[in-house]
Amino acid sequence: MRILSLATLFPNPVKPSFGVFVGNQMRAIVAGGEVDLVMVSPIGVPPWPLSGRHPYDKLRLVPEIDDSAGLTVHYPKFTLIPKIGGNGNPARIARAVLPLVRRLHAEKPFDLVDAQFFFPDGPAAALLARELGIPLTVKARGADIHYWSQRPAALDQMRQAARQAVGILAVSKALREDMVALGMPRERIGVHYTGLDHERFHPIERGAARALVSAMPNLGIWPEGPLIVTPGSLIPRKGQALVIEALARLPGARLALAGVGEDEKPLRALADRLGLGDRVQFLGLVGHDLLPHVLCAADVLVLPSASEGLANVWIEGLACGTPIVVPDIGGAREVVQDPSAGRIAERTPEAIAAAVSDILADPPSQSDVSAHVSRFSWGVNAQNLVRFWRDVLSGEPIYAAA
């Protein structure tokens, strides 16, 4: 099979950790040797220069084609209108990508166009598939459904892409139900769980991991006391403010926030206002080389997001032997199936604090926690995605789960 896959969230030379989970999946696809994969990751840049130090200006420097992500990737640039132009991104992406895609298709025809996110990738890939006259598949991850479906113009484009697609994937059964509720065809939606790098994410004895991360100058995490870790971008949707407020109800516990984002300043102000400034640490962006050590060092991983499909970091935390506290969103109940995996708690400081206290009072063994995600791997993930593409091209029914 020759597959053209489109992903706006994908590692690139300027942002190597951007969409690393999609990069992991596609490297596994290539390694399997069954697919002739052409990866296209459109990069949005504004039509005007910014400060010269702005991240958008750095993205202009990404080469048109590069293999630093572990496979050959095309990085065409499309015109991005920050903050106000989101609904028009699919059409702008398609216009920017179409000349490249036409040329590649003429050299060696594609069998299928694949989109790795439902928006803006899905509608953009639908335009490309119609232009080439070949089938379309689309995958939903979570925020692409929950956020963009609230914008009527974007939702209309997603529904059109869903009607055109010969097959659709969701990262959890719960997300599939959300998609059906939006009017997408249930019979064409399969479930495709995330993968996991078991060589990177596995239990390291908690005391040893804690000693290691406390000795690293670039981390300097406190060496003693219960440690809560909340990984993820510092944005309102992730709910870090709720964890800080919960910390006030957890005497002696400390919180490490692993991530960067627009919410950092108000989160720091909240911690100071609550008198918790000395118990909340902002680690900044923690790379995938260090993240497993941080997760292994934590007693609990808390991530009270407003929405998720099935968060990769839930799986990575469990793989490190760290129980998780998450809301009843997305595929949470498909992962937290008994108390040894953690707790499902309401998005309130009181409920989060109670769940954390419960875990700290009777912590499960790291091996019991990690056993919950033994079924996840990038190899299995890649095999199931290849099987899905083969099935839709041969007209087979969409499989229920993988």
Side-chain angles (χ1 to χ4, degrees), residues 126-150:
L127 292 170
L128 298 177
R130 287 202 297 271
E131 180 70 23
L132 300 181
I134 59 177
L136 167 73
T137 57
V138 186
K139 184 169 182 176
R141 303 274 180 173
D144 50 352
I145 294 294
H146 298 134
Y147 175 78
W148 289 103
S149 67
Q150 299 176 47

Side-chain angles (χ1 to χ4, degrees), residues 81-89 117-120 140-156 158 175 178-179 182 184 235-238 262 306-309:
I81 312 298
K83 296 186 178 180
I84 62 172
N87 292 339
N89 280 340
F117 296 87
F118 230 100
F119 197 89
R141 303 274 180 173
D144 50 352
I145 294 294
H146 298 134
Y147 175 78
W148 289 103
S149 67
Q150 299 176 47
R151 302 177 67 157
L155 178 57
D156 182 60
M158 288 194 289
L175 183 60
D178 292 342
M179 294 161 69
L182 291 173
M184 297 183 185
I235 55 178
R237 181 174 68 84
K238 294 292 185 179
E262 62 193 45
S307 66
E308 298 281 359

Side-chain angles (χ1 to χ4, degrees), residues 189-220:
I189 305 175
V191 177
H192 184 230
Y193 288 128
T194 187
L196 175 67
D197 184 346
H198 285 275
E199 292 186 7
R200 188 183 298 271
F201 294 96
H202 58 83
I204 301 170
E205 195 277 321
R206 182 162 291 123
R210 188 71 177 273
L212 177 65
V213 297
S214 66
M216 291 182 175
N218 55 332
L219 291 177

Side-chain angles (χ1 to χ4, degrees), residues 13-138:
V14 171
K15 300 176 74 173
S17 62
F18 192 56
V20 66
F21 53 95
V22 190
N24 289 337
Q25 173 184 272
M26 293 315 197
R27 280 192 294 273
I29 291 287
V30 172
E34 297 181 64
V35 174
D36 180 6
L37 179 71
V38 176
M39 195 74 222
V40 177
S41 179
I43 293 179
V45 293
W48 55 82
L50 297 172
S51 65
R53 296 182 179 178
H54 195 282
Y56 282 132
D57 288 329
K58 292 180 180 179
L59 287 172
R60 295 178 194 276
L61 304 178
V62 174
E64 290 295 311
I65 186 168
D66 186 83
D67 60 4
S68 62
L71 70 163
T72 300
V73 184
H74 297 269
Y75 295 104
K77 312 302 186 297
F78 70 95
T79 301
L80 179 76
I81 312 298
K83 296 186 178 180
I84 62 172
N87 292 339
N89 280 340
R92 285 190 288 270
I93 289 170
R95 282 196 298 270
V97 171
L98 194 51
L100 167 68
V101 167
R102 280 183 178 141
R103 176 174 60 80
L104 295 173
H105 187 60
E107 293 172 357
K108 186 178 180 182
F110 296 110
D111 295 301
L112 180 147
V113 178
D114 162 74
Q116 282 295 309
F117 296 87
F118 230 100
F119 197 89
D121 310 29
L127 292 170
L128 298 177
R130 287 202 297 271
E131 180 70 23
L132 300 181
I134 59 177
L136 167 73
T137 57
V138 186

Side-chain angles (χ1 to χ4, degrees), residues 231 236-239 242 302-308 311 314 326-327 329 347:
R237 181 174 68 84
K238 294 292 185 179
L242 295 170
V302 182
L303 187 61
S305 304
S307 66
E308 298 281 359
W314 297 349
V326 297
I329 56 172
R347 296 186 75 243

